[in-house]
Amino acid sequence: MAKIRKTVVNTIGLNPDYLIPVPKETIPKTAIGKIQRQELRKRFEAGEFHRIF
């Protein structure tokens, strides 16, 4: 996790508040494959990922 955080900071200059490892198939996507960020945010705010960290 520390290596991932460092890479993100060095690459885009932001220190993420959360790094949550999730299986690739749990990330909601549109029919054409774009990540549904709003849906992902709703699930995060609803606590769906709290059991992971």
Side-chain angles (χ1 to χ4, degrees), residues 2-48:
K3 185 176 180 180
I4 293 170
R5 183 176 300 278
K6 182 178 179 182
T7 301
V8 171
V9 170
N10 291 337
T11 304
I12 62 174
L14 295 174
N15 189 10
D17 292 330
Y18 301 96
L19 290 175
I20 305 169
V22 295
K24 187 176 182 179
E25 54 276 353
T26 64
I27 299 173
K29 295 189 179 178
T30 65
I32 61 171
K34 290 185 175 183
I35 294 174
Q36 295 178 328
R37 288 175 172 79
Q38 289 295 92
E39 179 62 26
L40 196 56
R41 180 180 180 168
K42 286 179 191 174
R43 291 168 58 185
F44 174 77
E45 290 175 345
E48 184 173 325

